[in-house]
Amino acid sequence: MLLNGTGDVIDDYEYPATTEDLIADYGDHTLELPNGSEQVGDVLARLESETFNNPEDARFAVYTAVSEKAIGRVGYSDRDPTPVGSPYAPDAVSF
């Protein structure tokens, strides 16, 4: 997900760093997602102001704040039964 060098710049940044620091310095970097792309600044702007102590914390923040563009099939799970009333439930079949 962190293509176009975004993962590398997060790793190489000097920590601790705030959300605002990362937005100011790397907000224009593009995240390539399965269903489009987003700017790092737009993603981090969804979060409250935070101080990251290391690159891993910053990466997790980006991962948790991306939009539905990062999801392959919205509402799909091959592990859980479809919840009752879900708009993604298959049509009922009567025998």
Side-chain angles (χ1 to χ4, degrees):
M1 178 179 78
L2 298 182
L3 300 177
N4 298 345
T6 304
D8 294 335
V9 296
I10 287 175
D11 289 345
D12 294 340
Y13 202 77
E14 190 170 320
Y15 293 88
T18 65
T19 306
E20 292 77 17
D21 293 336
L22 293 175
I23 290 172
D25 292 337
Y26 302 116
D28 61 341
H29 278 261
T30 301
L31 299 172
E32 297 295 335
L33 306 170
N35 295 314
S37 63
E38 290 189 291
Q39 301 297 104
V40 171
D42 295 335
V43 172
L44 290 175
R46 295 182 186 120
L47 303 173
E48 293 183 19
S49 182
E50 185 175 347
T51 299
F52 306 108
N53 294 316
N54 55 57
E56 185 176 72
D57 292 344
R59 276 178 176 263
F60 286 144
V62 172
Y63 291 151
T64 59
V66 292
S67 70
E68 287 184 346
K69 293 179 182 178
I71 300 171
R73 287 173 50 191
V74 177
Y76 175 78
S77 173
D78 63 351
R79 292 182 174 82
D80 299 323
T82 304
V84 175
S86 170
Y88 306 106
D91 293 333
V93 177
S94 177
F95 292 99

